[in-house]
Amino acid sequence: MSESASQTADINPDDTIKILVASDIHLGFNEKDPIRGDDSFIAFEEVLQHALENEVDALLLGGDLFHVANPSTNTLDRCFRLLKTYTLGDKPIRLEFLSDQNDNFLESLSHTVNYEDPNMNIAIPVFSIHGNHDDSGGAGKVSSMNLLSTNGYVNYFGKWTDLSKIDIRPILLRKGETKLALYGLSYMSDARLCRLLDDAKVFIEKPDEPGFFSIMVLHQNRAERGPKNYLPESSLPQFLDLIIWGHEHDCRIEPEENSAKKFYVSQPGSTVATSLSEGEAIQKCCGLLSIHKGLFRMDPIPLKSVRPFVFESVDLATVQEELALDEGDVQQRVQDFATERIEAMIERAKTKITGYARQPKLPLIRLRLGLTEIEQQFNAIRFGFRYHGRVANPQDMVIFKKKPKVKVKDELGNALDKAALQEAYRNQREQRAQRAEEIVDRYFREADVVNQLEVLNPRSMAELCRRMVDYEDDDAPEKIIKFYEDKALSFLRSQDNTSEEGICEALAGFHTADPDIHEKVLSMLDARSNRQDATDPLQRFRDLDDDGMAGGNDGSSVRGDPPNTTVAAGKPAARGARGGRGSRGGGTARGAASKAASTAGSTRGRSQTSITSMFSQQSTNNSIASVATRTSSRKTATKKARQMDFDSDDE
């Protein structure tokens, strides 16, 4: 429960665990921008300064410390410098470690908490999970968080190592008479997590001893963004006391009680604005969490180093009569109106100057105008030129949102305006269309018969695109194509008829023969570096294959079955419309989606050729080669036209 003012008077500081809580630091965001490139580093340094000034026992991060999983050397160097400056030193650590460190830090080099490593001199231990931006995807599945763990700067925990189930074992700490159980759930796909929850395959182990204050830090969608595209609070176990919720960027750091489960949820939000949305304009904070036995208190600490950001949304329908938008030069009148509002917003931004020495002074301004007619829209980029040197984002200072007017008739023939309903539906479709993997999945599912995939699964192509965009994993196409080639060859070997017609008929039934093949693809991609011997920290280096990827062949989990003392989490509930806390850029989505489509087009012929080569020594060699030639040429001939259609879908 939360502390009251009367209860805090007799609290012994020697029995109080003090933790500074922050999330979504996004180091390296926009680092090449000469104006905004330092914002994330300045804010993170202030967080570290607060940890030092408040003499905290630990710093807890809720994921997305980095903006990308493989940040630039400049970003890594600046991060290392900050952590070395503020977290290393001779200050004694008063947190006693109680749990099995081999279980808590399976991925670390020493398998121990960093302040018990004799080679490190830690003053403030940092505990962190990974988020969707610093997820360990890509070649080798080594992310920036792994580098921080290897170098001893961060205690990286909560990384799932088995896709078939999640077994969460707490970090058990004690200071005086206060005992803390810290649970970590690093980011994974919301859909996958919901499936595991539905199947009761999420196990959260309770401590054997009573009296532990239980905290879980996680990094998932909290807002409803579609069915199985968020983590309902009701799916978390009731024995937890406090949830530190990362990923959502709007700051709601004051603990909010869940009326059903009776635990509290604190959402720190981000320390830097990565998308110019309304939620990002809320005051940025970190929090000082104090825990005394079964009591806790969260004190918000406003960040003074954050760049001023003012957001405003105006529906022009509400000022249509005032601006006389039904006559004359409508575009010029809207532009004059925008100029007036921008000037007022710049003045409001001046009130957010805190006096912090390193706070950026040029403000972020975002004016969203809801249009009723397309004629009201003006050139926002040209409009922003006049504000160079006055705002930090002149190129995207003004955005437009067209409100559709959809008229339908009721049973009596009266016209009904359902613009709001249609707008919500369109917004949902637009948000989904911005995602590269959604574009790829939609394209292949809606393709005509001639362009349908014969071997590859459309969902696997969407996964390929997601890994290229999110993780910049250029090895994913080769892995997925090779996987399907091997599966197709094995499937054809089991067929009796190897004639030309037999191969074509067999390939037509390849998808239905193994309906779970896409799940096997995901397991293949994610399990390559998860297999390692927990008793030997050097085993993963001995298991490196020719591609430099750590892996094995048995597909087994690194842990055994969960003990009988575990608690299965509940099932998710409720649905919602997909919304967005920012989306990927359209250009990136189009580029990656086009590359995925081109990859599919060029490899389909190659897959067919590889399949026919398996039977090259048989009597049907000539007929099979003929099938391969015709299939390859047909796919090549349609690839360019398919690419053009694909690009037009993204528009």
Side-chain angles (χ1 to χ4, degrees):
M1 66 183 68
S2 181
E3 291 182 7
S4 64
S6 60
Q7 291 172 316
T8 61
D10 300 328
I11 289 179
N12 186 350
D14 294 333
D15 298 328
T16 302
I17 299 177
K18 295 169 63 178
I19 302 175
L20 193 78
V21 178
S23 183
D24 294 84
I25 309 295
H26 287 273
L27 291 178
F29 170 73
N30 229 354
E31 64 175 325
K32 294 183 179 180
D33 189 323
I35 297 177
R36 302 170 60 188
D38 292 334
D39 289 8
S40 61
F41 300 100
I42 295 174
F44 185 46
E45 183 170 12
E46 185 185 0
V47 171
L48 295 173
Q49 288 172 346
H50 286 302
L52 195 63
E53 293 169 0
N54 288 279
E55 298 182 343
V56 298
D57 297 298
L59 173 61
L60 179 61
L61 302 179
D64 281 356
L65 174 60
F66 293 92
H67 189 62
V68 294
N70 52 344
S72 68
T73 53
N74 173 65
T75 295
L76 283 175
D77 178 68
R78 298 183 69 172
C79 177
F80 290 158
R81 287 173 178 267
L82 288 173
L83 290 174
K84 187 173 183 179
T85 301
Y86 290 96
T87 66
L88 301 190
D90 296 326
K91 175 188 171 184
I93 305 297
R94 302 190 60 188
L95 292 177
E96 181 184 357
F97 212 96
L98 303 178
S99 54
D100 187 350
Q101 300 186 32
N102 285 322
D103 286 339
N104 299 139
F105 306 113
L106 184 64
E107 291 285 319
S108 69
L109 181 62
S110 60
H111 288 197
T112 60
V113 67
N114 63 352
Y115 61 82
E116 292 188 5
D117 187 341
N119 298 316
M120 300 296 297
N121 194 20
I122 303 296
I124 302 177
V126 180
F127 295 88
S128 180
I129 62 173
H130 75 246
N132 58 310
H133 281 263
D134 45 27
D135 188 4
S136 54
K141 295 186 73 65
V142 175
S143 72
S144 50
M145 296 303 300
N146 293 103
L147 297 180
L148 291 179
S149 175
T150 301
N151 284 277
Y153 291 117
V154 170
N155 298 297
Y156 178 23
F157 73 110
K159 181 179 179 181
W160 38 267
T161 56
D162 187 350
L163 294 175
S164 62
K165 66 178 183 296
I166 301 177
D167 182 12
I168 304 177
R169 301 179 182 181
I171 292 175
L172 302 182
L173 303 169
R174 178 170 59 197
K175 180 182 178 183
E177 297 182 3
T178 299
K179 296 186 292 185
L180 172 65
L182 179 60
Y183 298 86
L185 176 59
S186 290
Y187 169 81
M188 69 162 49
S189 166
D190 290 293
R192 180 186 296 276
L193 181 56
C194 286
R195 285 197 299 269
L196 294 174
L197 287 167
D198 285 338
D199 297 336
K201 292 183 178 180
V202 178
F203 302 93
I204 304 178
E205 181 179 311
K206 295 181 65 175
D208 294 331
E209 301 178 17
F212 279 88
F213 186 87
S214 298
I215 298 177
M216 171 171 278
V217 54
L218 52 83
H219 193 98
Q220 304 291 150
N221 282 334
R222 184 184 182 188
E224 297 185 17
R225 296 189 172 100
K228 296 188 182 302
N229 200 24
Y230 75 107
L231 177 62
E233 293 181 9
S234 59
S235 64
L236 298 173
Q238 190 167 2
F239 71 81
L240 296 174
D241 296 300
L242 177 65
I243 311 294
I244 304 298
W245 205 299
H247 184 62
E248 302 289 355
H249 280 208
D250 48 322
C251 181
R252 294 163 57 184
I253 200 167
E254 290 282 359
E256 303 168 3
E257 184 179 15
N258 183 286
S259 58
K261 294 299 184 73
K262 301 303 180 183
F263 53 62
Y264 288 83
V265 180
S266 175
Q267 181 177 303
S270 66
T271 60
V272 63
T274 60
S275 64
L276 302 184
S277 60
E278 188 171 6
E280 295 273 24
I282 301 174
Q283 172 69 60
K284 303 291 186 184
C285 294
C286 59
L288 180 60
L289 174 63
S290 302
I291 305 168
H292 180 79
K293 299 180 180 180
L295 305 176
F296 80 97
R297 184 180 69 207
M298 179 71 79
D299 295 316
I301 303 177
L303 296 178
K304 299 179 180 180
S305 61
V306 177
R307 184 181 296 274
F309 177 27
V310 177
F311 178 94
E312 189 172 320
S313 181
V314 179
D315 187 354
L316 292 180
T318 61
V319 293
Q320 186 165 353
E321 294 184 2
E322 177 185 347
L323 300 180
L325 298 181
D326 295 330
E327 57 184 21
D329 191 347
V330 176
Q331 185 181 97
Q332 185 59 46
R333 293 182 182 181
V334 173
Q335 185 168 328
D336 293 341
F337 172 77
T339 301
E340 180 182 345
R341 300 307 284 259
I342 291 293
E343 293 293 338
M345 294 170 71
I346 293 176
E347 290 301 316
R348 286 167 51 195
K350 293 179 180 179
T351 63
K352 297 189 175 185
I353 301 296
T354 62
Y356 185 83
R358 299 191 60 199
Q359 183 190 22
K361 301 302 188 293
L362 288 181
L364 292 168
I365 301 294
R366 169 54 61 86
L367 175 62
R368 183 172 63 189
L369 297 177
L371 305 179
T372 57
E373 302 293 341
I374 195 63
E375 290 79 10
Q376 299 169 352
Q377 184 171 342
F378 55 85
N379 191 319
I381 297 179
R382 184 179 301 171
F383 176 80
F385 284 162
R386 70 181 74 173
Y387 291 95
H388 273 282
R390 297 186 62 195
V391 300
N393 61 317
Q395 70 283 356
D396 58 357
M397 190 172 50
V398 179
I399 61 171
F400 301 94
K401 188 174 182 181
K402 180 69 170 66
K403 296 188 64 176
K405 291 184 177 180
V406 180
K407 297 288 185 178
V408 296
K409 293 184 178 181
D410 59 13
E411 297 178 355
L412 301 178
N414 298 321
L416 297 177
D417 187 357
K418 293 190 176 182
L421 209 66
Q422 292 293 333
E423 179 186 6
Y425 175 73
R426 285 179 181 238
N427 288 341
Q428 177 182 352
R429 293 294 300 271
E430 289 173 1
Q431 288 289 343
R432 293 179 64 85
Q434 292 294 328
R435 299 176 60 87
E437 59 266 29
E438 295 287 352
I439 298 172
V440 171
D441 184 71
R442 185 176 70 251
Y443 168 76
F444 285 116
R445 291 186 183 279
E446 298 176 358
D448 53 32
V449 178
V450 176
N451 293 329
Q452 285 286 348
L453 293 174
E454 296 177 352
V455 176
L456 298 175
N457 188 298
R459 294 172 62 195
S460 297
M461 293 303 300
E463 178 67 15
L464 181 154
C465 190
R466 186 182 75 87
R467 289 176 179 269
M468 290 168 59
V469 172
D470 290 350
Y471 305 139
E472 299 180 10
D473 185 5
D474 294 333
D475 296 329
E478 181 179 355
K479 296 175 188 175
I480 293 177
I481 298 302
K482 183 65 169 59
F483 179 86
Y484 273 98
E485 285 183 357
D486 294 341
K487 289 295 183 182
L489 290 172
S490 299
F491 174 74
L492 288 179
R493 287 193 185 99
S494 65
Q495 304 300 308
D496 296 331
N497 188 0
T498 58
S499 64
E500 177 179 340
E501 294 77 9
I503 292 179
C504 293
E505 293 177 1
L507 286 179
F510 175 66
H511 284 172
T512 57
D514 190 356
D516 298 327
I517 190 169
H518 176 65
E519 296 299 327
K520 296 178 181 178
V521 170
L522 295 179
S523 298
M524 177 273 297
L525 291 172
D526 292 331
R528 290 180 64 88
S529 67
N530 291 336
R531 307 180 190 123
Q532 55 181 304
D533 187 354
T535 63
D536 185 357
L538 299 179
Q539 183 64 36
R540 66 181 304 175
F541 298 102
R542 291 198 289 266
D543 289 343
L544 289 177
D545 57 19
D546 294 337
D547 295 330
M549 300 283 291
N553 298 317
D554 57 354
S556 60
S557 169
V558 296
R559 293 181 181 171
D561 293 331
N564 295 329
T565 57
T566 57
V567 177
K571 296 184 177 181
R575 297 181 172 220
R578 183 184 180 100
R581 180 195 46 77
S583 59
R584 303 179 187 90
T588 302
R590 284 194 294 272
S594 300
K595 184 175 181 181
S598 178
T599 300
S602 61
T603 54
R604 288 169 67 189
R606 189 185 71 177
S607 300
Q608 181 70 41
T609 304
S610 176
I611 292 170
T612 58
S613 66
M614 180 186 69
F615 300 95
S616 59
Q617 303 302 320
Q618 301 181 16
S619 58
T620 57
N621 177 55
N622 293 335
S623 59
I624 296 174
S626 176
V627 173
T629 302
R630 291 201 304 271
T631 304
S632 179
S633 60
R634 173 165 59 86
K635 301 303 183 289
T636 303
T638 59
K639 186 174 72 171
K640 183 176 295 185
R642 182 168 68 249
Q643 184 68 55
M644 294 174 60
D645 293 340
F646 186 85
D647 290 339
S648 64
D649 288 342
D650 188 38
E651 297 296 332

